[in-house]
């Protein structure tokens, strides 16, 4: 298979996946004994209201007709209206998406810095106690139940030390006194370029704990990956040559070794991106972060199918495309794994 | 895997301090689960009997891990929770193997259209964020332990299919299989006698390593209220219920969460070493 | 070469972003040196998102916003009907024609004067749309504008209209001149949900985000007038996490909140920064028993369950004492609550006797459903399981989403759950709302989830409601008879009435919970503590 054929295959696959997801979620949510009309009408509806809601949601039509309605709306870019919040799903999602994006970016930033530093250090001090400790740390990172770790951080940094806020994205009062001009929806970025220091500081303050929680998994992955790549690189001939020429150690590590180890490590970053997307589900609940994960979880728990399908389309697309890009980079770097 | 090889692997596992630690924890966990009724100070409370007079007591000599909102001994419930966690781990992985292995063998051995269809299906499953899939399935099937296990297994099997298909393809080319074929031995027999025994060991190893992730994912489902139903003692569920009590009654969510963490670390410590010995290039599974 | 291109691309992107940002930053006006006195702000930390801002259809929690933007004709206060937008009212002798005299010199937020035309238009729109709580107006045949400040309601049958007009749902009066210029009913709903309001209330809507916060500002021309101690800005901030709300109120980041973990309340009572306000609510928790499926189709078995229920423990441990044992189908404090009804109390021996008598000495299996996510219901279920096991009942507990729980319950009673736990609260405070919805016979199960069918009972409450407008005493005595039947038949367990527990920062005073308007904080009542 040529490269472009492979890309096309993967793209087709992505669409098939997403289509299947739509079909499955749609039919499942209509077949299982639930009652979207009741969800729509709210608590204590009258029989007439349930009838109205049924009509509005086309629940009296045959399932296949309902599906046709849904698909044709979808093709026009209309994801429908959330049964739970009565808002257009697209609007809900696009608001939530930037919140999640901001969280993921900061978490990955954390992860890359800590992961590379730890990885390089333990490769250099291979098999020392520091190396063992960093291995334990890395494995702990991938073993932590994020929802629990977030709570422990809250206990420590909020309740005990009082250093950081418990949850949320930014304080209401700060936002009121210093209205933020939203450009990208990433509060930290927006407040930075508009010079809104109060909001900037506040947003940074709020993002530390959730981002640290979310970063634990990628930190573990990146540390391990960087370590093993560094060990491999440090055994290469040119490193030995450099040593023989008396190039100082730090220069060898930073300039020669790390440069070669970093590309494969970035692949892990890409892969972990896909993970953090899902990890954000639980972290956002703990930290009351108004993002996609919290939205999705509540949608799934209440079987709000337009919202579920909407989120799944976004999440699955992101996951599929991140994986595709990662695979392509991997193929570019290491032609041996060409399909 | 030959006997000598197993012994060799075990030796390495024991020699490495960290994987030894992991092994010890896992063995301890199994013992805890098996002997829970004798180990737990208050087995009745672990099974759900309320003890209202002592609700939300901090850790003390009577209740080492404190008590929960019904006054039940958290230590006893954590001990009983080990059972659920092990059941989930074993059940998810074996169910995953049960679906994944036959499909992988079939795809690898038959090749052609069968292979293409099976592998495209696994591609579809694998291009789905896994926890999201499990979440959807278990909400669809309804809350409960069995359904959570099924949900996880369904999002799990394609990994095994992929792995065993690769093994099957390489074994298929081996001379003894060619010979068996030329002797007119039926396909089923060839699969059962030659391919399965030679392909299964890496899959079993992978399965063992996956148990940690299975426990972690199951606890996430429990945390969302989709797993075991109260009053059964389950770690994820206890953390979830303890969430509302976090700030004033810290012990309640802390200890069950710690149990999840330590257990998963133990499995991953062993798995990490196994991976280094057996196949360092094995791509790590993502949650 | 490719490296250079990469660097160049990044530089260009950064410059573009910075330029765009700078442009927006410049365009926002800056007023250096301008110092205004900080407006006084009060924040209500609320649990769930807002649903809609349309007063005609809103039938859930968004009244916490609407009740500060809009007003009803009458207000329900401690069992009495008091003037609000109407100053007085009277009816003919059989309560089928009601005349309301409206308050003068009232302005909408748009500046339009409030007149009888607005009353007619608002209620007719609600009735026409037929959603939410529109059914409360079912008795109304015609609304007549007599003059600018007098409006007459002609009814199809006798009803207590001033009570209905005080409803927390579906009775808000809107600015007809403003809204009718917007377009049809749907366009009006869209307009409102974009963050507009059209009320006469003390606050007007300044900004609205259903998921995060609602900001309201003081309406200077409010007919009730203002004093210095009241708040200029009132905010409803959505904070789903209970522990977070707790921390925020103790640190004065929010000034009022509710639904904190009840286990934390005793500690908060001792916290000098906050005060706890607990008043009985008009909510009751029921365990609906399946009266058409064995073994609960046997009255003796239902009575046995009622005796085997540890009522005091429920209140003590589930509510932490913030509530009362329900003695009757109607919550305490509401008309229709009677403390002289024969009632059940925890008595295992009696329960066993009844089971023996019914022929169920060997026990049986029952399925209980509750609404997933409701911690209190979960605890109640667990306590029932443990208590009922003493009389040989093996209780299976199943958590379902409310929609699933309800759809399971309304599908086929003979295959449905045996016990269903749920809350009921009134649309407006009348016993009929409770007795009719939950126990009046139905062709298709809807909210009568005990599937109870008793024509004598039906007859009594139907008679009673017709008398509510004219002879309340007679109506109450009929309700009393009907409730006696319920207690004897025991189609449901009457579990408890939880208190409304608010926690307030010490920086505010003047709060008074009004159970007729569930979860509403009337910001106008609040004052800065001196």
């Amino acid at each position: 298979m040529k490269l472009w054929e492979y890309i096309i295959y993967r793209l087709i696959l992505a669409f098939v996946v997403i289509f299947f997801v739509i079909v499955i979620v749609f039919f499942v949510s209509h077949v299982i004994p639930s009652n979207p009309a009741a969800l729509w009408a709210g608590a204590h509806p009258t029989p007439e209201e349930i009838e109205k809601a049924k009509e509005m949601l086309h629940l009296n039509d045959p399932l296949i007709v309902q599906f046709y309605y849904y698909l044709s709306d979808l093709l026009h870019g209309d994801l429908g209206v959330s049964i739970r919040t009565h808002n257009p799903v697209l609007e809900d999602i696009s608001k939530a998406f930037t919140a999640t994006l901001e969280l993921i970016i900061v978490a990955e930033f954390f992860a890359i810095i800590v992961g590379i530093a730890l990885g390089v250090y333990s490769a250099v001090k291979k098999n020392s106690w520091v190396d063992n400790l960093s291995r334990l740390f890395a494995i702990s990172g991938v073993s932590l139940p994020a929802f629990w770790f977030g709570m422990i951080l809250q206990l420590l940094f909020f309740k005990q030390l009082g250093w950081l806020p418990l949850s949320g994205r930014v304080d209401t009062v700060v936002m009121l006194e210093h209205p933020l001009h939203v450009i990208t929806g990433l509060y930290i970025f927006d407040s930075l370029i508009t010079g809104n220091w109060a909001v900037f500081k506040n947003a940074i303050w709020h993002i530390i704990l959730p981002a640290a929680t979310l970063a634990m998994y990628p930190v573990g992955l990146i540390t391990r990956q960087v370590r093993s790549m560094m060990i491999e690189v440090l055994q290469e001939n040119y490193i030995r040559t450099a040593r023989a020429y008396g190039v100082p150690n730090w220069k060898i590590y930073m300039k020669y070794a790390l440069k070669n180890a970093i590309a494969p490590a970035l692949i892990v970053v890409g892969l972990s991106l896909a993970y953090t997307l899902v990890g954000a589900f639980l972290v956002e609940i703990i930290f009351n972060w108004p993002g996609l994960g919290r939205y999705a979880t509540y949608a799934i728990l209440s079987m709000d199918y337009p919202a579920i399908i909407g989120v799944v389309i976004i999440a699955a697309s992101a996951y599929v495309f991140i994986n595709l890009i990662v695979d392509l980079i991997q193929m570019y770097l290491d032609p041996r794994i060409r399909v | 895997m030959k006997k000598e090889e197993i012994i060799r692997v075990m030796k390495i596992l024991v020699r490495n301090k960290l994987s030894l630690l992991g092994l010890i924890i896992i063995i301890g966990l199994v013992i805890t689960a098996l002997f829970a009724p004798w180990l737990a100070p208050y087995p009745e409370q672990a099974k759900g009997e309320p003890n209202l007079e002592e609700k939300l007591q901090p850790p003390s000599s009577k209740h080492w891990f404190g008590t929960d909102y019904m006054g039940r001994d958290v230590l006893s419930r954590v001990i009983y929770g080990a059972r659920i966690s092990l059941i989930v781990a074993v059940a998810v992985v074996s169910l995953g193997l049960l679906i994944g292995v036959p499909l992988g063998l079939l795809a690898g051995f038959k090749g052609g259209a069968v292979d293409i269809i099976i592998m495209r299906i696994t591609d579809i499953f694998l291009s789905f964020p896994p926890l999201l899939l499990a979440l959807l399935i278990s909400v669809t099937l309804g809350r409960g332990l069995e359904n959570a296990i099924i949900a996880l297994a369904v999002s799990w099997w394609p990994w095994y299919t992929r792995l065993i298909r690769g093994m099957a393809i390489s074994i298929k080319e081996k001379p003894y299989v060619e010979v068996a074929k030329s002797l007119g031995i039926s396909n089923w027999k060839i699969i059962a006698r030659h391919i399965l025994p030679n392909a299964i060991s890496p899959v079993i190893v992978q399965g063992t390593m996956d148990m940690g992730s299975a426990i972690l994912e199951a606890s996430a489902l429990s945390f969302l209220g989709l797993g075991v139903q109260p009053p059964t003692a389950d770690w994820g569920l206890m953390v979830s219920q303890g969430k509302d009590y976090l700030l004033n009654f810290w012990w309640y969510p802390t200890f069950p969460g710690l149990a999840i963490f330590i257990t998963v670390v133990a499995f991953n410590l062993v798995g990490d070493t196994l991976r280094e010995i057996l196949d360092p290039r094995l791509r790590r599974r993502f949650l | 070469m490719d490296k250079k291109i990469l660097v160049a691309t990044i530089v260009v992107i950064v410059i573009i972003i910075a330029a765009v940002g700078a442009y927006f930053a410049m365009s926002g006006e800056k007023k250096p040196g301008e110092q205004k006195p900080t407006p006084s702000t009060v924040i209500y930390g609320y649990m769930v998102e807002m649903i809609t801002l349309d007063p005609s259809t809103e039938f859930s929690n968004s009244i916490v916003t609407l009740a500060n933007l809009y007003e009803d004709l009458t207000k329900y206060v401690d069992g009495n009907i008091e003037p609000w937008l109407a100053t007085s009212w009277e009816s003919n002798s059989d309560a089928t024609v009601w005349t309301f005299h409206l308050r003068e010199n009232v302005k909408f937020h748009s500046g339009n004067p409030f007149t009888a035309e607005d009353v007619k238009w608002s209620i007719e729109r609600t009735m026409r749309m037929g959603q939410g709580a529109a059914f409360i107006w079912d008795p109304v045949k015609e609304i007549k504008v007599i003059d600018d400040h007098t409006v007459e309601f002609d009814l199809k049958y006798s009803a207590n209209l001033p009570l209905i007009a005080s409803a927390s749902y579906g009775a808000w009066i809107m600015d007809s001149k403003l809204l009718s210029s917007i377009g049809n009913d749907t366009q009006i709903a869209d307009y409102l949900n974009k963050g507009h309001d059209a009320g006469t209330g003390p606050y007007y809507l300044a900004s609205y985000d259903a998921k995060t916060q609602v900001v309201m500002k003081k309406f200077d021309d409010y007919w009730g007038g203002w004093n210095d101690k009241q708040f200029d800005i009132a905010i409803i901030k959505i904070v789903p996490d209970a522990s977070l709300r707790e921390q925020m109120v103790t640190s004065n980041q929010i000034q009022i909140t509710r639904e904190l973990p009840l286990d934390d309340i005793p500690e908060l009572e001792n916290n000098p920064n906050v005060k706890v306000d607990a008043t009985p609510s008009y909510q009751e928790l029921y365990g609906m028993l399946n009266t058409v499926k064995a073994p609960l189709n046997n009255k003796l078995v239902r009575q046995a369950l009622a005796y085997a229920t540890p009522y005091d423990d429920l209140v003590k441990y589930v509510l932490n004492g913030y509530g009362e044992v329900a003695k009757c189908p109607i919550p305490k404090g509401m008309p229709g609550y009677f403390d002289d009804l024969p009632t059940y109390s925890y008595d295992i021996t009696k329960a066993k006797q009844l089971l023996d008598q019914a022929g169920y000495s060997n026990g049986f299996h029952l399925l209980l459903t509750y609404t997933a996510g409701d911690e209190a219901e979960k605890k109640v279920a667990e306590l029932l399981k443990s208590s009922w096991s003493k009389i040989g009942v093996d209780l299976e507990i199943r958590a379902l989403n409310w929609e699933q729980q309800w759809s399971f319950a309304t599908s086929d009673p003979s295959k449905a759950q045996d016990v269903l736990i749920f809350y009921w609260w009134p649309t407006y405070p009348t016993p009929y709302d409770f007795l009719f919805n939950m126990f009046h016979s139905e062709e298709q199960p809807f909210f009568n989830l005990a599937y109870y069918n008793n024509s004598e009972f039906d007859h009594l409450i139907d008679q009673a409601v017709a008398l509510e407008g004219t002879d309340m005493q007679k109506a109450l005595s009929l309700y009393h008879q009907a409730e006696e039947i319920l207690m004897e038949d025991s189609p449901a367990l009457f579990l408890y009435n939880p208190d409304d527990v608010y926690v307030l920062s010490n920086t505010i005073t003047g709060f008074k919970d009004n159970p007729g308007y569930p979860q509403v904080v009337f910001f106008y009542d609040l004052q800065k503590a001196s």
Side-chain angles (χ1 to χ4, degrees), chain B residues 56 160 168 241:
Chain B
L56 296 168
Y160 301 134
Q241 295 180 331

Side-chain angles (χ1 to χ4, degrees), chain C residues 12 125-126 179 183 185 207 263 320 347 371 406 456 527:
Chain C
V12 168
R125 174 171 185 262
T126 301
L179 292 183
D185 289 340
S207 88
D263 290 296
N320 234 26
D347 187 343
T371 310
W406 192 47
E456 189 192 349
Q527 308 225 322

Side-chain angles (χ1 to χ4, degrees), chain A residues 253-282:
Chain A
Y253 300 142
M254 287 304 145
K255 201 165 174 194
Y256 301 106
L258 187 57
K259 207 171 82 184
N260 288 292
I262 206 132
L266 285 181
I267 291 170
V268 178
V269 172
L271 287 174
S272 68
L273 262 179
Y275 163 76
T276 39
L277 193 73
V278 178
F281 271 58
L282 300 163

Side-chain angles (χ1 to χ4, degrees), chain C residues 281-430:
Chain C
S281 72
Y282 288 170
Q283 248 188 34
E284 183 155 327
L285 186 70
Y286 299 85
M288 307 299 279
L289 305 177
N290 189 334
T291 56
V292 297
K293 181 179 159 195
L296 296 186
N297 55 1
N298 185 329
K299 182 167 92 183
L300 297 175
V301 181
R302 297 199 298 268
Q303 288 176 341
L305 290 186
Y307 277 116
T309 300
Y311 302 95
D312 292 326
D313 279 357
L314 296 183
V315 171
K316 190 167 168 199
Y317 296 110
V318 177
L319 296 181
N320 234 26
Y322 292 100
E324 276 190 69
V325 172
K327 291 205 175 69
C328 117
I330 306 295
K332 190 173 181 178
M334 262 189 51
Y337 167 84
F338 306 106
D339 52 13
D340 58 346
L341 288 169
T343 185
Y344 297 90
S345 52
Y346 184 60
D347 187 343
I348 285 288
T349 351
K350 190 88 187 262
K352 274 188 185 145
Q353 269 173 21
L354 285 164
L355 278 194
D356 288 346
Q357 211 178 320
Y360 282 102
S361 344
N362 297 328
F364 44 85
H365 173 267
L366 290 178
L367 174 65
L368 174 148
T369 64
Y370 74 92
T371 310
D374 189 312
E375 286 296 303
E377 288 185 15
K378 186 190 73 195
K379 291 180 192 178
V380 166
E382 283 187 49
L383 286 178
L384 289 180
K385 181 183 168 79
S386 125
S387 183
W388 289 355
S389 70
K390 290 177 190 141
I391 56 166
V393 175
D394 167 32
L395 187 67
E396 180 190 342
I397 300 174
R398 197 179 290 172
L400 296 169
N401 293 337
W402 164 242
E403 297 78 33
Q404 289 171 331
Q405 187 190 10
W406 192 47
S407 111
F408 182 44
T410 49
S411 53
D412 178 3
S414 64
K415 290 186 192 126
Q417 79 291 332
D418 299 293
V419 185
L420 178 142
I421 296 191
F422 83 144
Y423 289 98
W424 193 265
W425 62 94
T427 309
Y428 59 93
T430 162

Side-chain angles (χ1 to χ4, degrees), chain A residues 33-35 38-39 44-47 49-50 52 85 87 92 158 166-167 172 176 181 189 193 288 294 301, chain C residues 17 21 24 43 49 59 129 131-132 135 211 213 235 237 240 244 247 401 403-404 406-407 424-425 446-447:
Chain A
S34 183
N35 192 340
L39 183 58
H44 298 187
T46 60
E49 283 156 24
I50 291 288
K52 266 204 173 157
T85 67
N87 280 331
D92 278 357
F158 174 76
L166 182 65
S167 61
T172 317
L176 266 178
H181 194 101
F189 184 77
I193 59 173
N288 191 22
R294 198 173 69 124
L301 291 180
Chain C
I17 291 173
F24 280 108
I43 307 178
E49 296 161 9
F59 196 24
M129 293 181 77
Q131 295 173 42
F135 61 88
K211 283 188 197 52
Q213 63 181 353
I235 297 171
K237 184 170 166 59
L244 180 57
Q247 289 303 319
N401 293 337
E403 297 78 33
Q404 289 171 331
W406 192 47
S407 111
W424 193 265
W425 62 94
F446 201 71
F447 279 120

Side-chain angles (χ1 to χ4, degrees), chain C residues 17-62:
Chain C
I17 291 173
V20 171
Y23 169 76
F24 280 108
M26 299 300 189
S27 60
E29 320 99 273
K30 280 185 189 154
K31 302 168 201 159
E34 188 178 323
Q35 286 290 329
K36 266 195 281 180
T38 326
S40 57
T41 307
V42 60
I43 307 178
Y44 175 19
Y46 192 66
M47 302 75 65
V48 290
E49 296 161 9
M50 297 293 116
I51 299 291
T52 172
L53 282 177
D54 188 338
S56 287
T57 58
E58 152 58 19
F59 196 24
S60 62
N61 54 285
S62 309

